[in-house]
Amino acid sequence: MSELIETLWRQFGVEAGEHLDAIEALLAAPPGGTDGPQRIAALFRAFHSLKGAARAMDLFAMEAVAHRAETILGRIRAGSLELTGATADPLLEALDALRGLVEQATRDRRDGVAPDGLLAKLDALGGGKGAGKATADPSKPPNRLHGNDKLLGLFVGLLHDGMATLTRGLDPAALDGEELRAVDDTAERLEIACERLDFLPFADTLRGFRAALAHRDADAALRALQAVAVASARVGRLSGRDAGAAILVTLLADHNAQALESSAARALELMADPRLAEPAVGVATGAELAGALDRVAATLDIVTLPRAAALVRVLADVTRHAAPFGQAGWPGLLADSRMVVERLAALAMLDPPEDLDDGTAAELERRLRACVDGASAGARSGDADAGRPFTAAELTDLGLDAGLLRFLSPDSAADLRAAVADPAIGLCEVTAFLETSAEVASGFVAWLGSRVQAITNWPEFIDGKTWLKLLVASPLGLDELRGGLSAIDPGGELLRIRRCVPGGAVTDDPSAAMREPDSALPSPVPPQRRPADPSAPPAAVAPAQRARQPAVSAGVLRVPGEVVDRFMARIDGMVLLSGDLNAAARDTGLEQAFAALADRLGAGDPGLRAAQEAMERHRRDLLDLDARLSRSVDRLREAALDLRVVPVETLFTPFPRMVRELARAQGKSVRFATDGGDVRIDKSMVETLHDPLMHMVRNAIDHGIELPAEREAAGKPPQATLSLRAVQRNSRVVVEIADDGRGIATGAVRAKAVRNGLVGEEESRALPPEAIHDFIFAPGFSTAEAVTETSGRGVGMDVVRTAIARLGGSVAIRTAEGEGTAFAIDLPLSAAILRALLVEVGDQVLAIPDRFVEEVCGLAGAAFDREINGWAVRHRDRALPVVRLADALDLPTGGAWPPDGAKGDEGQGMVVVLRHGDRCIGLAIDALLRRGDLFVRESHPGLAEVPGVGGVSLLNDGRIVIILDGDALYRLATAAQARRAEGATGGS
Amino acid sequence: MAKPTILLVDDSVLMRTIIGDIVRSDEELSLVGAAENGKVALEMVKSLKPDIVLLDIEMPEMSGLEVMEHLSLTSRAKVVIISSVAQVGSPEAGEARALGAVEIIAKPSGTMSLDLAHKKGHDIVVAIRRAAGLPLPARP
C-alpha cells in the first residue's frame, strides 16, 4: 500500500509540474490569433486535470484554486469572457499559487492554504461557485440531431474506408484465414454501426455477407455486396457524403461483366457442339451447358435483367433434361437459341445493361416448350408402363434419394425401369466436376458414351461450386467403373463414383435414407475437400485494382495500405516464382545430361551435332533470360518496398519528451540525441518497434543512468548522454540505443541468473561476460527487479527480444561497467522478406534464417565422439557439437542417436552448421529442401511464444513453414545437447 | 465464465494508477489495457475487444465524447464514464448518456486518507460490475 502511495505522489509531482508548465506557456503566448480556441481548450484541460489530481490526493486548497481557474476558462470558452490582461493576470496569480501548493504538497505530503483574497478574486471573474457551469450550458446544449448527424458522418466515413476491404469478399475462396478475418472484422464493425444507427435492414445485409463469407459462398457474398452497394448509395445520397458506393458499384459491374463474359462464352461454345444433337452423347454436354446457362442466368438476375434471366433458365432446363435431343426441330432451335444468348450477353454488357425485348423472349420460350412437350409426348406414346412415373417410395427402395423424382423425365424414368428390371445391371451415382480440365471433361463424355448408360443428371452445389451428378446404369462392376474414371482423372479429385444399394442408401452415405421423402435435394456427398483447381483464373483481381479510386493531390497519390500490401504479396509471389525458375534453369541434371549426350555423340552424326548445339544455345538463352529476369524482379521488389517505408523519424518523435519527463521525475540530467531519422524502414515495423524501444529507453534512464552526484563522483560529466540512432547497412537497419551510464553489472546479473536457476553456479563462472549479459533476455528475468512506475511493468527484455525476432531481427548488447550500455537492434529493411534455408524434420518444413547458417555438410560416415557436453563430430579439424534439430525443438524423433556408422544407419543425414557469434553447433536434419526467399507472415501470438519460433510463412504448394529464430534456436540446441548428454550418461 | 475485460482510458498517469488499482482489486474483473488518449484507446479497442471501456471525458487529442461517437459505431463495448466534468445533470453527462454511456461516475478523490480499494473504489467497482452484469458487492 505505502509503495503504491509513494508511486502516486511521484506521479502527482510529475504530472502537476507538466500541467503548470503548460499553463505558463499558454498564458505567456500573445492573446488572440488563429489558435485561440484550441489554446483556451488546452488551458481549460490543464486546470481541470490539476483539479482532478488535487482531489485525488486530498489537496483541498489546491483543488479550490484550480476549480475557480477552470470555471473562468469555462466562461472564456463559452464566449462570455475574453482572455485579456484583466483575466490573464488573476490566472497567472492562480498559477503561482498552484505552483506553491504543489511544491508544498510534494515536499510535506499535505495540503496548504490558498493565498489571501485569491479565491475571492477568481470568484469575481468566474461569477461565483457554479456560475461558470451555468454560463457554459447554452453553448453546448445536448442536441440529439447534432449528435446523430455527427454519427452519420462518422458512419459514412467508416463505410467509405471499409469498402475496399469489403470488396475482397467478392472472391472468398482466394482469401486465407487472416484475410478472411480482416474482411469479417470490417463487416462486423459496420454491422454494429448500422445497428446503433437503426439501419436494421443494412445491418441484416452485412450479417448475411458475413455468413456468406464464413461459408465461403461466393454467390451469396456477391448478392450481399450488391445489396451493400445499393444501401451505401442510398446512405451517400441522404447524407450528401461519399459513402464509397461508387467504388463497390464499379467493382461489382466489372465482376459481373467478367462472370457473364466467361459463362456466356462457355455456353455459346457448348451450344455450337454438334454432339448436342445426338441423344447418346448429348446428355453430359447438355448438362454442362445447363450449368453454364445457370451461371449466365444468375448474373443476369444480379444485373436485374429479368426477361433474359427467365429465358436462359428455360433454356437451361430444356438442355439439362435432355428431352429434345434427337427431335427433328432441335438443331434449328438450338441455333436460334444460340443467337439469342449471344445477343442478350451483348445487351447485358452495355452501360446501362438492356433487357431482351418481350417479343423475342416469349417467342423463343414458346418454341422451346413446344419442343419439350413434343419429345415427352413421343416418349409416352411408346411403352405406357415403362414411362410410368416413379413414386418416392419406389426410389427409396432402389437405394435412391426421393429427391431424384424432380429430375426423372418420362424418358429417364423408362430408362431407370429398364435398368432396374435387368438383374445384370447395377446403378451408380457419379459426381463430376468438369469445369477445370477440358481433357477430363471430354474423357468423361467418352466414358459415358461407351461404358455406361446415363439415366438422369442434376446439378449440385458443393463447396461453392456447381458439380454435375449423374445416375448411371452399367453391367460393369464398381471397381471396373472406378478404374475407367481414374484413367481419366488420376487424382480422383474431379470424378467420383458410388454404388446405389437397393433397400438401403447410397453406400457410405447412411444419412440419405433418413432424409424426408419430399426433400428437395438429392443426397449430398459427404464432406469433401474442394478439388484442386489450379487452372481456374483468379477472378475479379484485376478489376479490383483497376477500379479503386485513389485520391490524387499535388503529385501525391494516396493509396489504401491494403492495396500496397496486396501488391507486395503479388511481388513476393513473383520473387518466389523467379527463384523456382532460377532453380530449374540452373538444374545441374540438365548440364550433366548435355555432357553425357556430347560424350556419346563424339564426332558422329553432324545432324545430331547441330541439334545439340541448338539445345545448348537455347539453354544459354534461358540462363541469360533467368539472370535478367531475376535482376529485374529484384529491382521491382526494391522499388515496391519503397512504397511501404517511412522515415524512422516517426518512430523517434515521442522519445525526447518522454526522456525529459522521466529524467526530471528521477532527478537525473540527460542529454538526449537522435540521429539518422531519415533512414527509412517498413511502416509495419514502426508499430512493432515502438514498445520495445520505449522499454529500452526507460530501462536506460531507470537503471543505466546515474544521478548527477554519482556521475561526478565517478569523474563523468553530471549530464548523461542517451542516444537513439538509426543506420542503414545495405538491406538492413541498425537501431542503436546507447547511454554513458553505469553499464550492466556482470556480477549482479550472474548472481541473479544463478539464483533464478538459469545456470549453475560453477558453470556461470566459466561463461564469458557476453553470455552472462545475454541472461537479461531470459523470460521473467526483469520482473523481479525493483518495479518503478516507469519500467519493470512486467514487460521484460524477453518480450523485447521476441518482438524483434518476429520482425526478423536480432538484438545485441555492448556494455562496460562504469562506461555505459548500447543495445543494437539489427533489422531487415523490410520485415516482409527473409532469405532462409528450408529443411525438413519429419514432415515439418522449417526455415533457418540464412545469416545464421555457416554451412551445410553431410553426416554420412562421420564418427561421433562423446564430448563432455554431448555428441560431436570432427569437422574442419574442430569438434563440432551436433544435436538433432528435432530434439532442440521437442519434435518427435525416430531412429537411433547418434547414428552408428558401423550399423549402417547413418543414412543420408545432413547437418546444418548454425553460427552464433563465433560459436557453432551442428543441427542434424532429415532433408535439405532449398534456399529461398520467404514472405514472413506475422505468426499467431500463441505460436510466437513457442521458444525458437520467429514466424511462419507459406510455400508455393501451400505448406506452412515455421521460421526459426536464430538466437533462440542456438540456445535451444545447446540446451538439448546438454540434456542428451545427461540422458546418455544416465542410460549407459 | 470469462471475466469481463476492461480497458482504461485516461490521460493522467496518476488516474490510470489509481483507477487501475481499484479495478485490479476486484478479482472478477480483468484489466486488459490502459490508454492515454482517445486515438490509442480506439486502436486498443479494435485489437483487445474489451467488454467495458472506462473513459475520461476531458482529454487532449480527442475528447471522451468523441471517442464515444467512434466507439458506439464500431464496438459492442459498454462505456462507463469516469469524469469529474460529467456530473449528474451536466450537459456532458446528457451527451454521454445520449451516446450510450451505461454508467457515469465521478473520479476517485481522497486517495490518501482512506483505504482506496475498499472505500473510495467502491463506487467505481459497483459501476463496472453493474455494467458487466455481475452481482454487486456489499458496501464496505
Side-chain angles (χ1 to χ4, degrees), chain A residues 146-459:
Chain A
H146 158 88
N148 275 346
D149 191 42
K150 192 151 181 212
L151 284 186
L152 187 65
L154 281 174
F155 170 66
V156 173
L158 280 174
L159 196 57
H160 181 268
D161 294 349
M163 209 53 96
T165 309
L166 288 188
T167 54
R168 302 174 69 183
L170 270 178
D171 190 9
L175 299 178
D176 67 23
E178 211 169 305
E179 293 163 336
L180 199 71
R181 222 172 9 261
V183 180
D184 183 67
D185 227 50
T186 304
E188 186 188 11
R189 287 156 66 86
L190 288 172
E191 184 192 327
I192 294 172
C194 287
E195 281 172 13
R196 289 287 156 82
L197 292 171
D198 260 354
F199 297 158
L200 297 182
F202 199 170
D204 287 344
T205 301
L206 287 161
R207 204 169 303 121
F209 172 66
R210 293 177 59 206
L213 214 55
H215 294 106
R216 295 194 188 257
D217 182 342
D219 285 353
L222 177 61
R223 276 196 301 276
L225 279 178
Q226 205 84 34
V228 169
V230 173
S232 314
R234 190 177 304 137
V235 167
R237 228 176 15 254
L238 290 178
S239 66
R241 296 175 170 100
D242 179 11
I247 302 172
L248 187 53
V249 167
T250 315
L251 263 179
L252 288 171
D254 279 357
H255 185 86
N256 291 334
Q258 216 173 47
L260 189 66
E261 197 175 344
S262 66
S263 57
R266 182 74 187 131
L268 290 170
E269 185 188 327
L270 288 167
M271 286 170 94
D273 191 330
R275 278 177 301 185
L276 261 186
E278 298 164 32
V281 288
V283 177
T285 317
E288 204 190 335
L289 172 58
L293 289 170
D294 277 343
R295 279 189 299 283
V296 172
T299 314
L300 291 171
D301 266 346
I302 288 170
V303 295
T304 53
L305 301 177
R307 275 198 294 273
L311 180 65
V312 170
R313 287 231 157 75
V314 170
L315 190 55
D317 259 11
V318 169
T319 47
R320 175 171 295 119
H321 296 142
F325 297 176
Q327 287 286 100
W330 175 239
L333 188 51
L334 191 63
D336 288 352
S337 304
R338 191 168 184 276
M339 275 167 59
V340 172
V341 170
E342 207 163 5
R343 191 157 109 232
L344 66 85
L347 286 173
M349 301 276 196
L350 295 177
D351 185 22
E354 277 176 32
D355 207 346
L356 275 184
D357 61 282
D358 208 15
T360 314
E363 164 64 11
L364 187 60
E365 188 174 338
R366 191 192 56 72
R367 285 175 59 199
L368 285 167
R369 290 201 187 284
C371 184
V372 174
D373 290 347
S376 308
R380 265 196 299 279
S381 66
D383 184 347
D385 182 62
R388 184 168 54 80
F390 277 82
T391 63
E394 271 180 280
L395 286 183
T396 313
D397 283 347
L398 289 171
L400 300 172
D401 193 276
L404 264 184
L405 270 186
R406 284 204 315 156
F407 303 105
L408 284 178
S409 66
D411 298 68
S412 41
D415 287 344
L416 181 56
R417 283 203 186 282
V420 171
D422 188 343
I425 288 183
L427 290 175
C428 288
E429 187 186 277
V430 180
T431 309
F433 191 76
L434 303 176
E435 314 271 310
T436 44
S437 157
E439 287 94 321
V440 170
S442 64
F444 182 63
V445 170
W447 179 81
L448 272 183
S450 63
R451 316 294 295 268
V452 298
Q453 181 197 10
I455 292 173
T456 185
N457 63 82
W458 65 98

Side-chain angles (χ1 to χ4, degrees), chain A residues 499-802:
Chain A
R499 169 79 72 194
C500 307
V501 181
V506 173
T507 49
D508 68 85
D509 186 9
S511 66
M514 296 161 66
R515 218 167 289 114
E516 292 296 318
D518 60 351
S519 154
L521 284 173
S523 62
V525 284
Q528 285 157 334
R529 240 177 270 120
R530 210 194 344 272
D533 195 353
S535 63
V541 162
Q545 291 179 351
R546 192 175 60 225
R548 220 177 298 278
Q549 298 169 343
V552 181
S553 72
V556 176
L557 198 63
R558 287 164 53 89
V559 181
E562 61 208 71
V563 174
V564 177
D565 288 347
R566 198 145 18 116
F567 179 56
M568 288 302 298
R570 297 228 183 288
I571 291 180
D572 288 334
M574 204 166 143
V575 170
L576 294 176
L577 278 179
S578 150
D580 290 350
L581 173 65
N582 180 266
R586 292 181 188 277
D587 188 352
T588 49
L590 188 60
E591 201 169 347
Q592 284 157 8
F594 273 131
L597 211 56
D599 271 0
R600 289 281 179 85
L601 279 173
D605 190 331
L608 278 178
R609 169 73 59 201
Q612 190 219 358
E613 274 165 9
M615 281 159 77
E616 277 284 11
R617 207 163 45 242
H618 182 261
R619 178 157 180 272
R620 275 196 305 277
D621 286 352
L622 180 65
L623 285 173
D624 181 46
L625 202 58
D626 167 60
R628 271 157 47 202
L629 178 69
S630 80
R631 268 197 308 277
S632 157
V633 167
D634 276 352
R635 276 198 300 271
L636 176 63
R637 201 185 88 181
E638 274 163 28
L641 282 178
D642 272 350
L643 294 176
R644 287 176 50 104
V645 297
V646 293
V648 80
E649 190 76 61
T650 53
L651 180 60
F652 290 173
T653 316
F655 285 98
R657 187 182 154 193
M658 195 192 92
V659 169
R660 207 165 50 240
E661 284 169 10
L662 285 175
R664 193 172 56 193
Q666 301 183 12
K668 291 174 182 174
S669 171
V670 180
R671 192 180 70 84
F672 184 64
T674 62
D675 189 24
D678 53 344
V679 168
R680 295 157 77 81
I681 64 172
D682 196 283
K683 179 171 65 69
S684 66
M685 297 210 298
V686 171
E687 288 142 27
T688 320
L689 269 181
H690 177 266
D691 285 352
L693 269 188
M694 188 75 101
H695 185 79
M696 287 194 275
V697 168
R698 276 177 176 147
N699 268 347
I701 297 173
D702 281 3
H703 308 305
I705 291 172
E706 316 91 325
L707 289 166
E710 227 175 296
R711 290 180 63 87
E712 279 186 311
K716 296 193 205 177
Q719 186 176 47
T721 302
L722 178 62
S723 68
L724 191 54
R725 43 193 217 106
V727 188
Q728 181 174 351
R729 297 200 182 108
N730 298 322
S731 65
R732 303 193 69 78
V733 175
V734 178
V735 178
E736 193 187 65
I737 302 137
D739 65 62
D740 61 352
R742 58 172 71 93
I744 295 177
T746 311
V749 172
R750 176 171 43 224
K752 184 139 183 230
V754 171
R755 211 162 51 243
N756 285 8
L758 292 169
V759 65
E761 166 76 35
E762 240 171 74
E763 204 182 327
S764 79
R765 306 227 166 260
L767 288 175
E770 302 83 63
I772 300 279
H773 297 150
D774 215 43
F775 282 121
I776 68 166
F777 291 110
F781 194 83
S782 72
T783 50
E785 295 272 10
V787 175
T788 72
E789 72 272 31
T790 47
S791 67
R793 289 174 167 170
V795 186
M797 290 300 284
D798 59 321
V799 178
V800 169
R801 175 171 271 181
T802 308

Side-chain angles (χ1 to χ4, degrees), chain A residues 11 15 48 55-56 58 193 196, chain B residues 12-14 17 72 109-111 113:
Chain A
Q11 287 176 348
E15 237 173 73
H48 174 78
R55 185 185 291 170
D58 274 347
R196 289 287 156 82
Chain B
S12 153
V13 184
L14 178 66
T17 310
S72 69
S109 63
T111 315
S113 50

